[in-house]
């Protein structure tokens, strides 16, 4: 397979080349893609100045990403399995789609979208469970040049509506329902509720999955099977410019409003394929399984685009790790003889807690590479993963990256880079990290700790925030001139290896999901009895970070006092989804604020961590008494 590094010496050589001459480096990689027309110039960029950030890769190149997945692979891989789909319930039969079959489904659904009048540049929101049609829908959008915006099917109606409206999507694709463990999620009902406040949506395409009853809005709602009725599979891909938008994916930031991260066609394509091949050292014929949901960036890049561009066989799993029992993951590994397995530390920790017998009864001998993503992996989890799951023989790739980066940035190359537990190790070729102090001075040399930034563009990077280019500049490029700000703190050890420490902004990493504290506060404040709230993260054994909410309520009766916590949780579930539900809620009578009214989160974080001994200087507080009250968990006045 081309463009694959095979030794540490080669890694260092490629890395040097990629820094000395990034354009030549990426051009050579992009040569192996299928272009309708080659680029005129490899890179055009500025992080500052008028219209910044301006990042154009493979300028004036013409292509379609699906031609790189299908037409390019058709001679050699028509009958090779592209996607193995494992249903939620092990009693249901799996689905194997070859490249040829998947191609036909994509072209057919693309034709269905065209029949409805969907055009290049239209935004299509997708709110589906982890079924093969989710991959089909996104690839069909890419085929016709429509921009997909996938919304994780665990988000609430309000969160879905916000995302649809921010992108002014004119199509929604959903299903009657979705299976998740023992539960049936009424996705169509949730979508119906969302659509009440989404005036731009003309078509709601509904896939049958659970066969549950749904309400129907004539004119707007259309069954998936009716949309594809009679459209055939002849379809010519839309020719896209390198910098045409491929997709939008919303992620949380430090303000309440989610950000629509914009990724474009050619750069994302080249980067996702290159990173996939190199990080996991995928070999032809291997079976790769990434357990993420396609609703997150990990699923975009390493269930669908990266693996399929590389001609891999990719496993897609509809269910959850602990249902019907805690051996579900390992049963699937054994069933499909999975070679590369990629998951999140939170899943590992949750499974450790279930006991080793769920692992040892399955044959995991097919595994050759293990990966993690989404949050720092603690040493204990790393050891268990390495020793028990990998049988001591599989390298672990701890991959650091973000929705904004499009693909993996700092990571070992499996079996090549010597690893150390909890370290993401070294940047991939083409990735130029830099650590700075809060004033923006570069911290040179090894054995330093600072704010992680990237100083040169890479093909997979975000290009904008949908509808708000200025916010993109403000969020990522304004704190330190000329640098992309990741929002993470990191340490470079004596050997030059990176250890990611965690977010430096008001974003909490809960079970590998990014949750903005402001978003949760906004949701909590929707409860009629809530006056104000402050949300911080605290260390949580399984989730990595848990959500701790300090809430001021007005005039609670004793009865209300007993129910308020559950009501607040329900409110957050309604406005965002269960993933953002606070783990701890403390009703307080005041919050520690500076005289200018700013909440001192540092103090709340310390208290949340259970470490109230060293709160630092509290003399600038408006009312230092509240701190004591919060520490002792002082009861607020109860109205009688
Ligand atoms: C965190 C997920 C430590 C980090 C692909 C980052 C990590 C955020 C790692 C992005 C890792 C991701 N070690 N922390 N290997 N990978 N993170 O956008 O804080 O959902 O900024 O993308 O997850 O989360 P996102």
């Amino acid at each position: 397979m081309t463009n694959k590094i095979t030794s540490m010496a080669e890694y260092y050589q490629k890395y040097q080349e990629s820094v000395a001459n990034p354009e030549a480096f990426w051009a050579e990689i992009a040569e192996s893609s299928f272009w309708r027309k080659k680029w005129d110039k490899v890179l055009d960029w500025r992080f500052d100045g008028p219209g910044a950030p301006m990042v154009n890769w493979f300028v004036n190149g013409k292509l379609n990403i699906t031609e790189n997945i299908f037409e390019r692979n058709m001679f050699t891989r028509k009958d090779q399995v592209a996607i193995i789909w494992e249903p939620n319930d092990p009693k249901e039969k799996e689905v194997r789609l070859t490249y040829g079959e998947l191609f036909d489904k994509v072209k057919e659904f693309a034709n269905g979208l065209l029949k409805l009048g969907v055009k290049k540049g239209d935004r299509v929101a997708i709110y589906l469970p982890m079924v093969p049609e989710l991959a089909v829908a996104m690839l069909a959008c890419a085929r016709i040049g429509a921009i997909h915006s996938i919304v994780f099917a665990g988000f609430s109606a309000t969160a879905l509506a916000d995302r649809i409206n921010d992108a002014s999507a004119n199509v929604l694709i959903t299903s009657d329902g979705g299976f998740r463990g023992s539960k049936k999620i009424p996705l169509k009902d949730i979508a119906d509720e969302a659509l009440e406040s989404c005036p731009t949506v003309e078509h709601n395409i509904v896939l049958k999955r659970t066969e549950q009853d749904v309400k129907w809005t004539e004119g707007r709602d259309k069954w998936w099977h009716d949309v594809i009725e009679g459209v055939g599979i002849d379809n010519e891909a839309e020719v896209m410019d390198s910098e045409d938008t491929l997709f939008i994916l919303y992620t949380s930031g430090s303000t309440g409003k989610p950000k629509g991260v914009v990724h474009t066609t050619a750069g994302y394509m080249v980067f996702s394929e290159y990173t996939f091949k190199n990080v996991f050292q995928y070999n032809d014929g291997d079976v790769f399984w990434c357990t993420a949901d396609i609703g997150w960036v990990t699923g975009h890049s390493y269930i669908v685009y990266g693996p399929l561009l590389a001609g891999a066989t990719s496993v897609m799993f509809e269910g959850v790790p602990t249902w019907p029992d805690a051996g579900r993951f390992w049963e699937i590994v054994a069933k499909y003889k999975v070679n590369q397995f990629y998951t999140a530390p939170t899943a590992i920790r949750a499974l450790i807690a279930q006991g080793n017998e769920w692992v040892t009864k399955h044959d995991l001998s097919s595994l050759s590479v293990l990966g993690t993503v989404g949050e720092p992996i603690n040493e204990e989890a790393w050891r268990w993963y390495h020793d028990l799951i990998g049988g001591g023989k599989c390298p672990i790739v701890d991959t650091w990256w973000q929705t904004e980066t499009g693909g993996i940035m700092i990571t070992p190359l499996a079996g090549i880079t010597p690893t150390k537990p909890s370290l993401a190790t070294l940047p991939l070729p083409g990735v130029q990290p830099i650590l700075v102090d809060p004033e923006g001075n570069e911290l040179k040399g090894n054995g330093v700790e600072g704010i992680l930034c990237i100083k040169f563009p890479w093909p997979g990077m975000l290009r904008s925030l949908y509808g708000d280019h200025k916010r993109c500049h403000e969020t990522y490029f304004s704190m330190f001139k000329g640098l992309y700000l990741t929002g993470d703190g990191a340490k470079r050890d004596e050997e030059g290896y990176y250890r990611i420490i965690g977010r430096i902004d008001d974003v909490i990493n809960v079970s590998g999901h990014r949750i903005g504290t402001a978003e949760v506060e906004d949701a909590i404040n929707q409860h009629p009895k809530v006056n104000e709230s402050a949300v911080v993260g605290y260390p949580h054994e399984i989730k990595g970070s848990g959500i701790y909410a300090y809430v001021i309520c007005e005039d609670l009766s004793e009865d209300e006092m007993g129910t308020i916590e559950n009501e607040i949780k329900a409110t957050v579930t309604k406005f965002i989804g269960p993933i953002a539900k606070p783990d701890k809620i403390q009703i307080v009578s005041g919050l520690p604020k500076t005289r200018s009214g700013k909440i001192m989160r540092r103090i709340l974080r310390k208290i949340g961590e259970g470490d109230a001994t060293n709160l630092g200087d509290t003399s600038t507080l408006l009312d230092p008494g509240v701190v004591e009250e919060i520490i002792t968990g002082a009861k607020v006045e109860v109205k009688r």
Side-chain angles (χ1 to χ4, degrees):
M1 212 182 264
T2 51
N3 298 325
K4 209 163 108 186
I5 294 167
T6 56
S7 69
M8 213 46 200
E10 197 186 341
Y11 162 76
Y12 283 118
Q13 186 206 330
K14 287 284 169 203
Y15 193 80
Q16 290 315 326
E17 282 175 31
S18 80
V19 174
N21 193 344
E23 299 196 20
F25 173 79
W26 286 113
E28 189 188 332
I29 292 165
E31 283 292 336
S32 69
S33 299
F34 174 70
W35 298 84
R36 290 289 191 103
K37 174 184 166 293
K38 281 263 168 70
W39 56 91
D40 298 333
K41 191 172 174 217
V42 180
L43 174 64
D44 203 3
W45 73 287
R46 60 171 176 271
F47 284 174
D48 278 295
M54 185 275 284
V55 175
N56 294 333
W57 280 95
F58 311 108
V59 181
N60 285 331
K62 306 288 173 206
L63 73 161
N64 186 292
I65 195 168
T66 68
E67 289 190 325
N68 279 272
I69 292 174
F70 298 115
E71 278 90 338
R72 182 170 62 146
N73 283 322
M74 231 6 77
F75 290 117
T76 46
R77 306 192 192 275
K78 191 163 182 291
D79 299 319
Q80 181 200 313
V81 175
I83 291 179
I84 303 177
W85 175 75
E86 171 69 16
N88 177 59
D89 186 341
K91 291 199 281 294
E92 191 181 337
K93 180 126 179 64
E94 78 270 13
V95 171
R96 289 168 208 258
L97 292 173
T98 64
Y99 274 85
E101 289 163 341
L102 181 62
F103 190 20
D104 289 348
K105 284 187 182 294
V106 168
K107 287 183 292 184
E108 182 180 50
F109 193 62
N111 285 338
L113 291 175
L114 290 171
K115 188 178 79 179
L116 291 181
V118 183
K119 301 180 304 299
K120 177 177 172 178
D122 285 355
R123 275 81 53 215
V124 175
I126 303 179
Y127 186 68
L128 280 172
M130 282 284 284
V131 289
E133 288 81 357
L134 172 51
V136 171
M138 67 199 283
L139 292 169
C141 287
R143 184 89 183 160
I144 66 168
I147 298 168
H148 59 72
S149 167
I150 302 180
V151 181
F152 172 60
F155 275 118
S156 70
T158 317
L160 173 61
D162 286 347
R163 284 157 180 76
I164 290 174
N165 288 331
D166 188 79
S168 327
N170 48 353
V171 180
L172 174 68
I173 303 172
T174 188
S175 65
D176 48 359
F179 295 114
R180 241 183 114 64
S182 57
K183 289 191 225 132
K184 233 195 220 180
I185 320 282
L187 292 178
K188 170 75 164 72
D189 290 351
I190 300 172
D192 282 343
E193 192 187 328
L195 289 181
E196 281 171 24
S197 54
C198 297
T200 54
V201 172
E202 296 160 41
H203 309 288
N204 180 25
I205 303 174
V206 187
L207 177 80
K208 262 205 176 141
R209 170 64 187 122
T210 55
E211 309 272 341
Q212 64 202 84
D213 287 338
V214 290
K215 290 201 254 348
W216 206 251
T217 302
E218 280 308 328
R220 183 194 72 189
D221 295 347
K222 283 131 195 144
W223 287 112
W224 174 295
H225 52 260
D226 290 334
V227 169
I228 58 175
E229 175 71 37
V231 296
I233 56 161
D234 287 334
N235 177 283
E236 182 76 12
E238 180 77 31
V239 179
M240 305 293 284
D241 186 86
S242 290
E243 285 298 338
D244 279 339
T245 299
L246 176 65
F247 66 84
I248 305 169
L249 183 56
Y250 284 86
T251 188
S252 294
S254 35
T255 63
K257 191 170 173 289
K259 305 178 285 195
V261 170
V262 171
H263 284 288
T264 58
T265 303
Y268 175 82
M269 174 184 84
V270 169
F271 197 65
S272 58
E273 180 180 342
Y274 178 77
T275 54
F276 170 75
K277 285 178 182 170
N278 278 286
V279 174
F280 300 104
Q281 291 288 305
Y282 182 87
N283 294 308
D284 251 350
D286 285 350
V287 175
F288 176 84
W289 181 20
C290 165
T291 70
D293 192 291
I294 293 177
W296 310 110
V297 74
T298 307
H300 281 61
S301 299
Y302 300 108
I303 295 177
V304 181
Y305 286 115
L308 298 184
L309 284 160
T313 298
S314 178
V315 176
M316 177 175 174
F317 174 42
E318 183 183 31
V320 296
T322 48
W323 189 85
D325 64 49
R328 189 73 173 112
F329 271 4
W330 319 122
E331 179 190 343
I332 298 171
V333 167
K335 181 171 175 189
Y336 301 117
K337 299 195 170 43
V338 169
N339 301 102
Q340 292 88 2
F341 177 76
Y342 189 30
T343 196
T346 187
I348 298 170
R349 288 190 298 265
L351 292 173
I352 293 176
Q354 302 280 329
N356 291 356
E357 62 275 17
W358 296 109
V359 181
T360 49
K361 65 176 170 195
H362 298 286
D363 175 9
L364 304 184
S365 60
S366 59
L367 289 173
S368 62
V369 173
L370 302 175
T372 67
V373 58
E375 53 179 317
I377 177 163
N378 49 309
E379 191 151 346
E380 187 201 349
W382 195 97
R383 294 260 164 240
W384 186 84
Y385 199 30
H386 182 265
D387 297 348
L388 194 67
I389 304 304
K393 67 176 173 45
C394 303
I396 295 181
V397 290
D398 177 348
T399 65
W400 174 84
W401 60 295
Q402 309 178 295
T403 304
E404 294 86 344
T405 70
I408 298 168
M409 301 285 277
I410 302 181
T411 177
L413 302 175
I416 295 173
T417 315
T419 59
K420 289 192 224 174
S422 311
L423 273 80
T425 74
L426 298 169
L428 283 175
V431 173
Q432 300 189 33
I434 166 177
L435 296 179
V436 298
D437 69 15
E439 279 72 52
N441 304 306
E442 175 166 9
L443 302 167
K444 295 210 171 92
N446 292 337
V448 291
E449 184 176 324
I451 301 165
L452 178 65
C453 296
I454 314 286
K455 65 178 174 196
F456 194 85
W458 63 101
M461 72 184 291
L462 87 163
R463 301 298 196 267
S464 192
L465 292 178
Y466 191 79
D468 201 346
H469 196 60
K470 200 162 141 257
R471 185 177 178 202
C472 178
H473 188 264
E474 265 162 28
T475 311
Y476 305 105
F477 300 93
S478 69
M479 175 115 97
F480 306 117
K481 208 170 155 54
L483 299 178
Y484 164 80
L485 172 74
T486 66
D488 282 319
K491 188 173 172 161
R492 194 162 52 228
D493 78 359
E494 298 305 331
E495 254 188 288
Y497 275 20
Y498 288 86
R499 177 198 287 275
I500 309 300
I501 297 164
R503 304 289 308 185
I504 55 161
D505 53 10
D506 290 325
V507 172
I508 320 177
N509 208 324
V510 184
S511 301
H513 303 314
R514 270 161 72 169
I515 313 266
T517 53
E519 228 176 307
V520 182
E521 289 163 7
D522 287 353
I524 293 175
N525 298 348
Q526 302 287 336
H527 189 286
K529 284 277 170 178
V530 170
N531 278 344
E532 198 179 0
S533 61
V535 164
V536 295
Y538 74 98
H540 186 287
E541 219 169 290
I542 305 244
K543 297 178 170 185
S545 298
I547 300 179
Y548 197 133
Y550 299 88
V551 185
I552 305 176
C553 295
E554 62 179 37
D555 304 340
L556 289 183
S557 68
E558 203 153 348
D559 281 355
E560 286 170 329
M561 204 53 196
T563 54
I564 188 76
E565 284 193 23
N566 284 337
E567 285 179 23
I568 289 174
K569 287 184 183 175
T571 307
V572 174
T573 303
K574 173 166 187 290
F575 283 94
I576 307 176
I579 50 170
K581 210 161 56 180
D583 300 279
K584 287 189 186 172
I585 295 175
Q586 184 175 343
I587 307 296
V588 295
S589 63
L591 291 166
K593 285 189 182 168
T594 61
R595 290 198 180 88
S596 60
K598 208 167 139 357
I599 296 172
M600 301 272 280
R601 286 165 193 284
R602 183 176 51 80
I603 292 176
L604 295 175
R605 242 177 258 134
K606 280 270 181 197
I607 299 173
E609 283 164 14
D611 173 20
T613 48
N614 177 23
L615 293 179
D617 184 12
T618 54
S619 62
T620 55
L621 289 180
L622 192 61
D623 174 11
V626 276
V627 176
E628 210 40 50
E629 198 187 297
I630 295 176
I631 293 173
T632 49
K635 277 249 172 301
V636 287
E637 285 288 310
V638 172
K639 198 172 69 177
R640 303 209 176 253

